[in-house]
Amino acid sequence: MSNPGTRRNGSSIKIRLTVLCAKNLAKKDFFRLPDPFAKVVVDGSGQCHSTDTVKSSLDPKWNQHYDLYIGKTDSITISIWNHKKIHKRQGAGFLGCIRLLSNAISRLKDTGYQRLDLCKLNPSDSDAVRGHIVVSLQTRDRIGSGGPVVDCRGLLENDGPLFVNEEPLPYSDPTGAAGGGNCRLDSPSQESRLQTQRIRGQDSRGHCHTPQNRPHGHQPPDLPEGYEQRTTVQGQVYFLHTQTGVSTWHDPRIPRDLASVSCEELGPLPVGWEVRSTVSGRIYFVDHNNRTTQFTDPRLHTIISQQSQAKESSQGPQMDVGGEEGVGGGVGGGGGDGDVAARYERDLVHKLKLLRHELSLQQPQAGHCRIEVSREEIFEESYRQIMKMRPKDLKKRLMVKFRGEEGLDYGGVAREWLYLLCHEMLNPYYGLFQYSTDNIYTLQINPDSSINPDHLSYFHFVGRVMGLAVFHGHYINGSFTLPFYKQLLGKPIQLNDLETTDPELHKSLVWILENDITSVLDHTFCVEHNAFGKFLQHELKPNGRNIPVTEENKKEYVRLYVNWRFMRGIEAQFLALQKGFSELIPQHLLKPFDHKELELIIGGLGKIDLADWKTNTRLKHCTSESNVVRWFWQAVEAFSEERRGRLLQFVTGSTRVPLQGFKALQGSTGSAGPRLFTIHLIDANTENLPKAHTCFNRIDIPPYESYEKLYEKLLTAVEETCGFAVE
């Protein structure tokens, strides 16, 4: 029931519309409840979408997303209908609608979820309409990165929205009102919904200041852990609890009992502030200095600051536990003290415990996620079963059975199922993924996957399987390029990400940036790529084939080239995969982790065969009897499985070993044939750390005087330079 009618001209912008839920719909049938669905239309463009139908409900929950292309003058109409009655006559089954004009779209986009009152199709209609709908609009550059409120769990599971029922006004100065569309937002309009009492703040510089201009000694204390202060585009200040996605107007630094202190007891307002009240009598505050509104009285911060100062003065001096930043340039090398590794390891364990705890809270207490497949058709049967389940069903206790085989699943069958499924699902033969150019056992999305007309549905499935594995404490038997994990975290791709993925291209682009290319290069903003044996051209910007690369615009060229290299033809596929993954693992739970830690969370470490590792290791400037070599293997044997994986990632760039074992280890140079793990004894100061060269799978080790020193230096290098710290 959709007709995209996509318009891709320059005057359109891409917007992700989320239709979350509706509440309190009108009951028009005495004996039964309606089967509501929502219809989304971009007026005049031909773009039309319909949500799923929810059976027998006045509070339907959809949580469905649609990508719309909106012109400058376009409007969006969202109407709700009763599926039971739409076929009876024209207009039958109508339950209400909202219409967002262009100025309302501009105000609503990237402001999180908004509750909008439903209206009649025409003011003269006699049909009763009641209730409201909750939607959000995200511009294309914000999709996947979250907005003010991106976790809708609180809206779907609790009564009422995440925000309280009365929002403070979008900021407007005393002479003008905040504009509207012809839809009513949850915040009342300037004149008809609000009675104002304006109590101007007196000039009280000697007593208190605005929070932004307050002297250092009177700054409000930091927010509690897990909270962020944000401001909507209308200037409304609110607070987001990042782990639960629940937002509130109440400042969490202010105790609830303190917030009840009367305004008169607090003295005059800071300069530039004003107090107003809504029609129901609720007080809110307007900050004319920063053009924002909030419910929290700014004078309360002075009291909290004084309490915080008194508490700090009663304690002794705090130790600086920051440590030095990094360990020198490149992949290895550098200094740093030895206690950083142990301190960080405790932090990583703590973060993993928190993640597991948060996921356990989301698991339903009753029921099972039952999957029964045959070994012969494991890919297609798993796809059909998983895609027909709701995300909350996938979070139930996982029980897997192979058809025709007896036995109960206490985790082992699920692990075997995931292993076999990944072997098929990630196989480049199916066209969804391909091996990266530098390294035959790390995967990236295949830009030509559209040869399969259902490829986006399969990427949605892959994302769900990855989320399913993480949610239930299992691992995906496959490893992706590190930039893939950065994209999954919503972090930007940078030039240095090319170094381990496409070193030749990285080298070329670095040369362009570091040298004067005047009269040297004859490039344009157009690049070539190979698709199924055909060389195709792609313009990095409009009319790029006619725009030469110059010394002045070369930085823009490199930036566009890097972005194209990682997102070439895979944006839709990646968004589908990310959607499936986020259905089970909300993105805000992954904020404490960096991309290399995410690789471990998703892929695990794998079982490392020490005998195979030793057999297929090359020695340079040393022999198997050299002290450094003997002590190296002694240290590896003493390492836990996790530390062995970190060592392998430090030297080769991946925690994974090829399916054929260490003999098939490949370097990052894309050279033909394997490049074995190499121990290289170098003539260097024994105070230096070992240094890794991931392009050659080589570790350079100075001639340490004792096993203890080698163990300490190796551990420090692995822990500190492997990128496991939070970015």
Side-chain angles (χ1 to χ4, degrees), residues 5-42:
T6 303
R7 298 170 298 161
R8 298 181 181 270
N9 56 60
S11 62
S12 298
I13 60 171
K14 183 178 178 182
I15 284 184
R16 167 73 58 86
L17 168 69
T18 299
V19 183
L20 185 66
C21 64
K23 294 276 187 181
N24 249 358
L25 297 179
K27 184 180 179 183
K28 299 187 178 183
D29 192 319
F30 186 77
F31 295 103
R32 55 182 181 172
L33 296 175
D35 293 348
F37 71 92
K39 185 176 181 181
V40 178
V41 176
V42 180

Side-chain angles (χ1 to χ4, degrees), residues 117-192:
D117 281 353
L118 295 171
C119 306
K120 299 178 181 180
L121 273 175
N122 298 299
S124 58
D125 288 348
S126 59
D127 276 356
V129 170
R130 58 174 288 186
H132 54 263
I133 188 170
V134 180
V135 299
S136 77
L137 298 170
Q138 286 180 285
T139 48
R140 184 182 180 191
D141 60 339
R142 299 287 294 275
I143 294 173
S145 64
V149 186
V150 293
D151 183 5
C152 56
R153 186 177 53 203
L155 269 166
L156 291 179
E157 295 178 358
N158 301 327
D159 291 325
L162 292 175
F163 286 139
V164 293
N165 290 333
E166 293 178 8
E167 299 181 359
L169 259 180
Y171 177 86
S172 61
D173 61 37
T175 60
N182 67 344
C183 70
R184 188 182 71 76
L185 300 186
D186 203 25
S187 51
S189 64
Q190 171 75 6
E191 296 298 331
S192 64

